[in-house]
């Protein structure tokens, strides 16, 4: 690891250590927050007792479904919108203000349409993730050097071949940004819906624990979410860096 | 095709491209309303209120005295959160952008924080700030401050070194260099960050109001959800969407203008 | 300067009465970029095009390659009309770096052969040869980003070469390189031309490059581009960059400049 990486790790560990110290010495009251080490112990106990399995499976499968839909449909929509420049110009202000509209207000509407299933939550997660993917797909397509497309024409490639063998790999770094954001927003959409509206999943369990003053369960679950999301992000970040290093060379 | 044919084709096009862009935007909005109406017909009145009924409901809400304090409460929370997120994020991002090592250390941490579903932290915020305005403001601010910081960091870090060298060659004082080189060079990206920061701050404030509050538009929405009052949900969603799109479009126009110049 | 024997000429590609007019965009008037213009390329000749910037050199190349259609006139390659599609047997090297950053040097060179559906053994034989020929053997598994600009342009030339084109079109391929690298790349290009027997059309803004490399130089006017003069260089087929110290090289370059000086001033907005 680089020097910067070690300093970063030290800072993060230091912050956690400080929090631990403040909680242990009672500067932060147990009523407000339990020490990080206790959170980990509680999480471990929950995992052992099997209480964790069902909500985790529910939340993660919903996030996964929302994520896959966001990336696939976001990419296709991006390709379509990119080929219609006039439509795109008109759409831009809407895309730019998209994230200010809280989509889970439509949860009841979706319940009426799709029934009390996981589908409304998946759709909300999808609505959150898809636009990040569309925006970054457009960004990536904008930045394909025109000369690469000429190479495609020199090789008499059809539009599907060009899309798969030239456009997709050329735009890949931007698409990857879209994928990373789609993961993050799928998590945010699904967990926020569970938290405020639904009756199952980790988000719901955190809200339930809060309302019942069950701080231990609440913090254990919070720890689980924060570490899971961070781990997924780190994995994507490392993968991305490896890809970029190859493409950017030593620069 | 001969040259004169090309001339004719050019003459046939509308003279004002700005006018055409507005027409396109209006057509798009009309199309969206059409889709909304189609969905309304398909899903039925219980599931999805029609565009007309939604507007009527919104006008009715706006005519009631009890409605406005809720709007005021949300705007006040949004104002304070935006103040913290924009000024705080700008300051933090600028410092991290100037001091390269800190920037390198902080950026991945900021990106990781950006991706967290911050709603999970809301109980913690309630435990610290208690119910009320300050919890909402804090929640809105933590949503907005991270993107503003990330954009400001990159804006300052990516100023071309040759500009800074030029400033030194011209022997500008630090204050002059700041005013005439640093700020104009970094401004376009900073405005982009403020635009995204606005959207997420508004989202944060509404989330805060929805989960634990007795005041504000978020509270009205969650109340309507509890009562399954679809017209009110739709009317409030429309109001929020109009507000968000208007503010975002203004910031986007400014953003475009600054980016076109640089 | 001994003149090339004209009786041996066999037309390989030609343009006749070609013009290119770009239609009006966003309130701008249409642009008459090229022609009317005629050109016959003899089989196996090395033809260079020079002219002031914006005179339509690249447009001529795109029309000849079938990448864009002429507004008027006809383009033929090996006796058949070129209409809206890139004909088989034509290769193009562009000025911009056209190597794919996501593929290794070897895979970049193999790209066209794979699209054309060649067998693996044949692809390997041809790519290994082309990579060796362009001096890239040690970098076959490297990615373009790890190479210098000159090396990346070699990758693009190798990628064109493996398809064994009979007509090679080069659009300022060395425009982004430094002078020494240009001279060396010029030698490579001459070697490639002799070895493959292909017809070469080179677009360049460097008069010395045109004078050194080609059998014939076409000097173009400012926009809309037409040929002012076609100049025979009279070099032997077996030549290399050392001819820059030849007396007649200086005279040739000087002659080209005297043809183009006024046109270049027109193109860059000078007033006399």
């Amino acid at each position: 690891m680089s020097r910067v990486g070690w300093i970063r790790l030290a800072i993060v560990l230091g912050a956690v250590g400080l929090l631990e110290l403040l909680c242990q010495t009672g500067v932060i009251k147990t009523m407000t927050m339990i020490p990080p080490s206790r959170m980990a112990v509680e999480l471990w106990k929950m995992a052992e007792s099997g209480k964790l399995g069902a909500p985790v499976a529910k939340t993660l499968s919903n996030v996964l479904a929302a994520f896959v839909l966001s990336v696939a449909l976001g990419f296709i929509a991006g390709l379509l919108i990119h080929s219609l420049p006039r439509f795109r110009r008109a759409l831009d202000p809407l895309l730019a203000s998209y994230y200010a509209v809280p989509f889970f207000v439509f949860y009841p509407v979706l319940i009426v349409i799709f029934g009390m299933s996981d589908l409304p939550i998946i759709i909300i997660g999808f609505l959150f993730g898809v636009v990040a993917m569309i925006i970054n797909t457009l960004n990536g397509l904008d930045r394909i050097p025109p000369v690469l497309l000429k190479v495609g024409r020199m090789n008499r490639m059809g539009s599907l071949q060009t899309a798969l063998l030239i456009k997709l790999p050329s735009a890949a770094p931007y698409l990857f940004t879209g994928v990373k954001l789609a993961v993050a927003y799928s998590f945010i959409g699904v967990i926020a819906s569970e938290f405020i509206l639904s009756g199952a999943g980790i988000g719901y369990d955190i809200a339930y624990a809060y309302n019942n003053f069950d701080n231990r369960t609440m913090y254990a679950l919070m720890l689980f979410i924060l570490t899971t999301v961070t781990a997924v992000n780190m994995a994507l970040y490392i993968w991305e860096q490896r890809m970029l290093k190859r493409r950017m060379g030593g620069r | 095709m001969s040259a004169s044919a090309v001339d004719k084709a050019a003459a046939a096009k509308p003279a004002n491209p700005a006018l055409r862009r507005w027409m396109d935007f209006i057509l798009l909005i009309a199309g969206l309303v059409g889709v909304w109406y189609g969905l309304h017909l398909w899903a039925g009145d219980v599931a999805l209120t029609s565009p007309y009924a939604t507007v009527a409901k919104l006008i009715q809400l706006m005519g009631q005295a009890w409605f406005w304090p809720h709007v005021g409460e949300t705007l006040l929370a949004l104002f304070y959160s935006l103040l913290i997120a924009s000024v705080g994020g700008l300051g933090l991002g600028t410092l991290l952008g100037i001091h390269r090592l800190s920037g390198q250390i902080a950026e991945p941490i900021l990106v990781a924080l950006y991706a967290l579903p911050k709603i999970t932290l809301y109980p913690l915020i309630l435990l610290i700030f208690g119910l009320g305005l300050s919890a909402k403001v804090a929640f809105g601010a933590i949503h907005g401050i991270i993107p503003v910081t990330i954009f400001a960091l990159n804006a300052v870090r990516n100023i071309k070194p040759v500009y800074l060298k030029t400033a030194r060659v011209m022997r500008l004082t630090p204050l002059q260099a700041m005013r005439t080189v640093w700020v104009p060079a970094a401004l376009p990206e900073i405005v982009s960050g403020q635009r995204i920061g606005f959207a997420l701050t508004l989202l944060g404030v509404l989330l805060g109001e929805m989960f634990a509050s007795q005041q504000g538009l978020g509270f009205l929405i969650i109340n309507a959800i509890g009562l399954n009052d679809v017209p009110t949900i739709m009317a409030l969603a429309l109001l929020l969407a109009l507000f968000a799109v208007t503010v975002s479009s203004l910031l986007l126009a400014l953003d475009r203008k600054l980016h076109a110049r640089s | 300067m001994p003149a090339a024997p004209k009786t041996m000429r066999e037309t390989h590609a030609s343009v006749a009465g070609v013009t290119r007019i770009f239609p009006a965009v966003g309130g701008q008037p249409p642009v008459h970029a090229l022609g009317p213009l005629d050109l016959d390329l003899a089989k196996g000749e090395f033809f260079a095009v020079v002219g002031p910037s914006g005179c339509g050199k690249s447009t001529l190349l795109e029309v000849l390659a079938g990448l864009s259609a002429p507004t008027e006139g006809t383009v033929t390659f090996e006796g058949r009309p070129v209409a809206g599609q890139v004909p088989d047997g034509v290769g193009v090297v562009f000025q911009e770096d056209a190597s794919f950053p996501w593929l290794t040097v070897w895979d970049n060179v193999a790209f066209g052969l794979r699209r054309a559906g060649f067998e693996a053994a044949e692809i390997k034989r041809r790519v290994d040869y082309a990579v060796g020929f362009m001096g890239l053997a040690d970098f076959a598994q490297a990615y373009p980003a790890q190479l210098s600009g000159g090396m990346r342009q070699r990758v693009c030339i190798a990628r064109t070469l493996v398809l064994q084109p009979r007509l090679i079109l080069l659009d300022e391929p060395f425009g982004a390189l430094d002078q020494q690298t240009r001279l060396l790349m010029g030698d490579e290009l001459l070697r490639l031309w002799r070895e493959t027997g292909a017809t070469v059309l080179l677009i360049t803004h460097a008069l010395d490059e045109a004078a050194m490399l080609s059998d014939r130089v076409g000097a173009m006017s400012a926009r809309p581009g037409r040929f002012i003069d076609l100049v025979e260089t009279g070099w032997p087929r077996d030549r290399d960059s050392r001819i820059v110290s030849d007396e007649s090289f200086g005279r040739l370059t000087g002659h080209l400049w005297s043809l183009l000086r006024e046109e270049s001033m027109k193109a860059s907005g000078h007033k006399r």
Side-chain angles (χ1 to χ4, degrees):
Chain A
M1 198 157 56
S2 63
R3 191 172 72 102
V4 173
W6 284 112
I7 299 176
R8 190 183 301 132
L9 188 67
I11 287 176
V12 172
L13 289 179
V16 176
L18 182 68
L19 203 58
E20 178 80 29
L21 192 72
L22 291 177
C23 290
Q24 292 286 3
T25 53
V27 178
I28 297 177
K29 302 273 186 304
T30 324
M31 277 287 290
T32 307
M33 190 193 255
I34 61 173
S37 59
R38 277 273 302 286
M39 295 182 198
V41 171
E42 291 297 331
L43 181 60
W44 180 249
K45 275 197 230 160
M46 281 183 76
E48 265 190 333
S49 70
K51 276 200 291 187
L52 204 56
V56 165
K58 191 161 195 71
T59 299
L60 292 188
S61 61
N62 285 350
V63 169
L64 185 69
F67 162 70
V68 170
L69 283 175
S70 307
V71 168
L73 297 183
F75 177 65
I76 294 169
L79 278 176
L80 278 176
I81 295 169
H82 190 260
S83 64
L84 304 168
R86 257 181 85 182
F87 175 63
R88 181 184 171 183
R89 267 209 88 92
L91 195 64
D92 260 349
L94 299 186
L95 289 179
S97 49
Y98 184 84
Y99 282 106
V101 182
F103 279 93
F104 26 87
V105 305
F106 295 118
Y107 186 73
V109 176
L110 294 171
I111 293 266
V112 177
I113 298 175
F114 297 104
M116 279 293 277
S117 65
D118 286 341
L119 208 54
I121 287 192
I122 293 173
I123 290 175
I124 289 172
F126 161 74
L127 287 173
F128 261 77
V130 70
V131 168
M133 189 66 199
I134 292 176
I135 291 172
N136 284 286
T137 303
L138 289 172
N139 246 334
L141 293 175
D142 282 345
R143 284 168 178 75
I144 297 174
V147 69
L148 299 189
L149 300 176
K150 281 191 199 161
V151 174
R153 290 180 59 198
M154 287 309 302
N155 288 292
R156 279 166 296 188
M157 290 159 68
S159 44
L160 184 67
Q161 260 196 332
T162 308
L164 288 178
L165 294 171
I166 297 182
K167 287 185 180 174
L168 185 70
S170 182
Y174 294 91
L175 298 180
F176 209 95
T177 306
V179 168
K180 280 200 308 186
L181 288 173
V183 173
Y185 281 117
S186 298
F187 264 106
I188 292 172
V190 167
I191 289 176
S193 312
E194 288 176 350
F195 199 92
I196 297 181
L197 306 158
S198 127
I202 304 176
Y204 168 76
D205 284 353
I206 292 176
Y208 185 82
Y210 168 76
N211 287 326
N212 290 291
F213 307 104
D214 180 2
N215 266 8
R216 288 183 306 178
T217 306
M218 185 177 93
Y219 278 109
L221 290 172
M222 272 191 197
L223 181 69
F224 176 79
I225 290 285
L226 300 189
T227 47
T228 305
V229 174
T230 307
V232 171
N233 253 299
M234 292 272 283
L236 288 172
Y237 178 77
I238 290 167
W239 186 15
E240 183 187 34
Q241 290 302 310
R242 208 172 279 174
M243 178 178 81
L244 287 181
K245 199 172 171 189
R246 204 166 64 188
R247 285 182 54 158
M248 304 296 171
R251 281 176 283 165
Chain B
M1 193 167 38
S2 69
S4 62
V6 173
D7 287 338
K8 265 180 229 151
K13 283 199 173 157
N16 193 342
L19 187 74
R20 202 182 70 165
R21 233 173 283 145
W22 270 107
M23 290 294 291
D24 284 354
F25 186 68
I26 290 165
L27 274 177
L28 178 70
I29 298 295
L32 285 177
V33 173
V35 170
W36 176 3
Y37 189 68
L39 281 173
H40 158 75
L41 289 181
W42 174 68
D45 215 23
V46 186
L48 198 63
T49 319
S50 75
Y52 176 75
T54 303
V55 173
K57 179 74 194 176
L58 182 57
I59 291 169
Q60 188 226 320
L61 281 176
M62 289 169 102
Q64 310 212 340
W66 57 262
F67 181 68
W68 292 103
H70 289 288
V71 176
E73 168 84 6
T74 300
L75 284 178
L76 189 67
L78 179 65
F79 173 75
Y80 285 135
S81 323
L82 273 178
L83 202 65
I84 296 170
S86 343
V87 177
L90 190 58
L92 189 60
T94 306
L95 287 179
L96 292 173
I98 292 173
H99 194 257
R100 252 155 223 270
L101 182 64
S102 316
Q104 279 179 330
I105 292 167
E107 201 187 1
I109 298 177
L110 289 169
V111 171
L113 289 177
Y114 181 59
L116 290 180
K118 280 164 275 295
I119 184 100
T120 42
L121 297 175
Y122 198 48
L124 174 63
I125 289 187
L126 285 175
L127 288 170
I128 296 172
F129 291 95
L131 286 172
L133 185 66
S134 50
K136 282 192 247 178
V137 170
F139 199 55
I142 62 167
H143 271 83
I145 196 166
I146 296 169
V148 173
T149 308
I150 294 175
F151 271 82
L153 192 169
N154 281 309
V156 173
R157 189 166 58 186
N158 295 340
I159 295 176
K160 282 191 194 148
V162 68
Y163 295 166
L164 305 182
K165 277 184 206 157
T166 308
R168 279 170 56 195
V169 168
M170 292 177 169
R171 299 200 209 187
L172 301 184
T173 63
L175 203 67
Q176 282 175 321
M178 198 56 146
R179 198 167 53 83
T180 56
V181 180
W182 290 76
V183 172
L187 201 59
E189 279 302 291
I190 287 173
V191 170
S192 299
Q194 298 287 352
R195 192 163 61 76
I196 293 166
F198 162 76
L200 289 174
T201 307
L202 178 60
L203 180 70
V205 168
L206 290 170
L207 277 176
E209 289 183 340
M210 285 173 86
F211 182 60
S213 179
Q214 303 301 320
Q215 280 282 315
L217 293 175
F219 165 71
L220 290 184
I221 290 175
I222 200 74
N223 222 13
I225 289 175
L227 299 167
N228 209 7
D229 176 2
V230 177
T232 302
I233 297 170
M234 296 293 293
L236 292 171
L238 178 67
L239 177 66
L240 288 169
L242 287 178
F243 174 64
V245 171
T246 307
V247 176
S248 277
S249 299
L250 291 176
L251 286 169
L252 185 68
L254 181 63
D255 193 339
R256 285 254 171 81
K257 209 168 171 181
L258 290 169
H259 270 101
R261 197 187 62 185
S262 61
Chain C
M1 280 191 268
K6 298 242 155 113
T7 47
M8 298 276 290
R9 294 183 81 97
E10 176 198 337
T11 299
H12 194 201
S14 69
V15 298
V18 158
T19 62
R20 182 83 171 95
I21 298 163
F22 292 102
V25 186
Q28 299 286 315
V31 176
H32 184 174
L34 187 69
L37 176 143
D38 303 288
L39 177 66
D40 276 330
L41 290 178
K43 194 162 176 54
E45 88 166 312
F46 196 129
F47 189 90
V49 179
V50 291
S53 53
C55 74
K57 299 188 292 278
S58 296
T59 310
L60 171 64
L61 178 136
E62 298 219 333
V63 167
L64 202 50
L67 283 171
S68 59
T71 309
E72 283 168 328
T74 53
V75 184
T76 46
F77 172 63
E78 296 179 342
R80 273 189 299 274
V82 174
Q85 229 214 358
V86 182
D88 188 39
V90 175
V92 178
V93 178
F94 299 98
Q95 175 181 11
E96 304 96 323
D97 175 17
S99 60
F100 294 139
W102 58 91
L103 295 178
T104 62
V105 166
W106 205 94
D107 288 328
N108 257 292
V109 177
F111 186 83
L113 293 172
R114 288 191 174 135
R115 299 291 77 70
F118 280 86
E119 276 177 37
E122 175 69 3
I123 293 176
K124 182 166 166 30
R125 196 183 63 73
R126 285 208 201 178
V127 173
D128 282 344
Y129 176 77
V131 164
F133 186 88
M134 293 310 294
L136 294 163
D138 291 343
F139 306 97
Q141 293 312 313
Y143 285 88
Q146 296 164 293
L147 306 178
S148 67
M151 294 295 266
R152 262 181 270 172
Q153 200 55 284
R154 281 167 197 260
V155 174
C156 295
I157 294 174
R159 188 169 67 187
T160 307
L161 181 65
V162 283
L163 293 163
Q164 302 181 342
R166 300 181 292 283
L167 173 62
I168 304 175
L169 308 171
L170 303 110
D171 189 0
E172 306 206 13
F174 314 137
L177 308 180
D178 65 80
Q179 182 66 21
Q180 281 98 320
T181 311
R182 296 176 74 122
L183 287 170
L184 293 176
M185 292 292 282
D187 280 343
E188 299 275 338
L189 187 56
L190 283 171
R191 196 161 62 89
L192 186 155
W193 167 65
R194 275 195 300 274
E195 209 137 318
T196 59
T199 309
V200 171
L201 178 123
L202 171 75
I203 307 273
T204 177
H205 61 257
L207 303 180
D208 53 344
E209 195 168 275
M212 166 188 137
L213 294 173
S214 59
D215 296 324
R216 268 201 307 165
V217 185
M220 270 172 101
S221 66
R223 194 166 71 203
R226 295 157 221 237
F227 284 118
I228 315 171
D229 199 3
L230 300 177
V231 181
E232 306 259 355
T233 62
W235 300 122
R237 189 171 172 82
D238 193 10
R239 58 181 178 256
D240 63 35
S241 58
R242 279 170 296 186
I243 57 176
V244 295
S245 52
D246 195 297
E247 208 185 320
S248 53
F249 171 78
R251 225 179 311 137
L252 201 54
T253 313
H255 178 57
L256 290 175
W257 180 231
S258 66
L259 285 171
L260 288 176
R261 185 164 178 272
E262 207 154 303
E263 296 298 327
S264 299
M265 284 169 86
K266 261 191 235 164
S268 52
H270 278 269
K271 293 204 175 70
R272 273 181 300 158

